[in-house]
Amino acid sequence: DVKVTQSSRYLVKRTGEKVFLECVQDMDHENMFWYRQDPGLGLRLIYFSYDVKMKEKGDIPEGYSVSREKKERFSLILESASTNQTSMYLCASSLWLPIGPADFGDGTRLSIL
Amino acid sequence: QKEVEQNSGPLSVPEGAIASLNCTYSDRGSQSFFWYRQYSGKSPELIMFIYSNGDKEDGRFTAQLNKASQYVSLLIRDSQPSDSATYLCAVGTGNQFYFGTGTSLTVIP
C-alpha cells in the first residue's frame, strides 16, 4: 500500500513564525499535493507538484510556498504564520493523470496562536 | 457558483438500504470524477473514480455519471453502520481538481 507520511500530527506555532510541514510518500508517485481542510469550506488546494522541482499554484497559494527537491518529499512552508492559517493540512499523492489525489496522509492539525 | 456542489445532509438510511449520494458540477469540460470517504477525524480515502458516462460498479459501490446533466452519484447497496462517514465528490478538469464540501451519511442499525 502507498504510504503518505506527514511529519507531525499536531503542531502549535506563533504568529510570524516560519513553519515547515513535511510530507513523504514511498510509492514513487509523480504527483503530490497540499490541501487544507476547513469546516464548511471543504478541501482546498494550496499547491501541487507533478515532478521534482516543478510546482503549480492551487486555489489558495497566498502565504504559502512549497519545495520538492526529491521525488518522494514535498514540503509546505508558511512564510510568516498568521492565525487564519490555523487549519488541518493534508498531503496527498497520485500516479495518474488527469491529476487527482489518490492517497492522503493522516494530516497535520496546525494551530497558530 | 461553486465548481462542485453536494447536499451537506445529514442523510440517514437504515441498515441494508441503498444510500444515494449526489453531486453536481459546473464545468461541462470536466473529465474525471471521484468519490472519497472520510471518517470523522480521519483523512479522505479514495473509493472510486469514473471517466465515462454510465455506471461503474465496485463491490457494494456504484458510481453513476451523466455528463449531459452534469451530475455524478454514488450508490451504496446494503448499507452498513461502518459506511457512516462524510462522502466527498471531486471533479477534475485539465489540471484543476475541485472537491465538494461533502455529504454526511449515517446508517442506522
Side-chain angles (χ1 to χ4, degrees):
Chain A
D1 280 352
V2 175
K3 188 146 180 72
V4 180
T5 303
Q6 294 183 229
S7 54
S8 303
R9 191 79 174 92
Y10 300 94
L11 205 53
V12 180
K13 296 291 183 180
R14 296 214 171 269
T15 306
E17 281 192 69
K18 191 169 187 175
V19 181
F20 293 86
L21 303 183
E22 306 287 345
C23 176
V24 177
Q25 51 95 3
D26 65 1
M27 281 299 289
D28 205 34
H29 278 181
E30 303 292 336
N31 309 313
M32 295 189 74
F33 310 80
W34 275 106
Y35 287 89
R36 62 178 284 179
Q37 187 172 30
D38 301 287
L41 297 176
L43 278 154
R44 293 179 292 168
L45 181 64
I46 305 171
Y47 270 96
F48 72 93
S49 168
Y50 52 89
D51 201 352
V52 176
K53 296 191 186 294
M54 305 301 289
K55 60 185 179 184
E56 292 282 344
K57 293 180 180 179
D59 301 317
I60 51 165
E62 296 79 19
Y64 303 95
S65 63
V66 290
S67 171
R68 194 167 180 199
E69 296 295 322
K70 294 185 178 181
K71 192 174 186 179
E72 67 271 18
R73 186 180 297 271
F74 192 35
S75 303
L76 179 69
I77 303 151
L78 284 67
E79 298 291 344
S80 178
S82 64
T83 55
N84 62 12
Q85 292 178 308
T86 292
S87 185
M88 171 65 83
Y89 289 86
L90 291 162
C91 176
S93 72
S94 74
L95 188 58
W96 20 257
L97 291 174
I99 285 179
D103 299 277
F104 284 84
D106 289 337
T108 296
R109 185 161 294 282
L110 175 65
S111 297
I112 307 295
L113 304 179
Chain B
Q1 183 186 3
K2 290 184 179 179
E3 300 285 342
V4 180
E5 303 244 23
Q6 295 182 255
N7 188 328
S8 62
L11 174 66
S12 295
V13 300
E15 184 174 354
I18 296 175
S20 177
L21 302 154
N22 299 312
C23 173
T24 59
Y25 59 95
S26 60
D27 190 337
R28 276 196 181 276
S30 297
Q31 301 151 324
S32 55
F33 308 86
F34 300 78
W35 283 100
Y36 298 80
R37 177 177 61 199
Q38 187 172 24
Y39 292 113
S40 181
K42 300 293 186 182
S43 297
E45 51 182 326
L46 180 63
I47 300 173
M48 61 192 306
F49 55 88
I50 185 169
Y51 295 134
S52 304
N53 268 334
D55 295 0
K56 180 181 178 182
E57 190 174 315
D58 184 359
R60 295 186 297 111
F61 298 98
T62 300
Q64 299 177 317
L65 175 61
N66 184 323
K67 288 188 176 181
S69 300
Q70 295 177 240
Y71 82 78
V72 56
S73 61
L74 180 71
L75 302 179
I76 307 174
R77 289 184 300 281
D78 188 24
S79 295
Q80 301 297 308
S82 59
D83 294 326
S84 298
T86 296
Y87 289 81
L88 305 173
C89 170
V91 174
T93 306
N95 280 349
Q96 301 298 315
F97 196 81
Y98 298 100
F99 280 87
T101 53
T103 298
S104 175
L105 172 67
T106 299
V107 180
I108 303 166

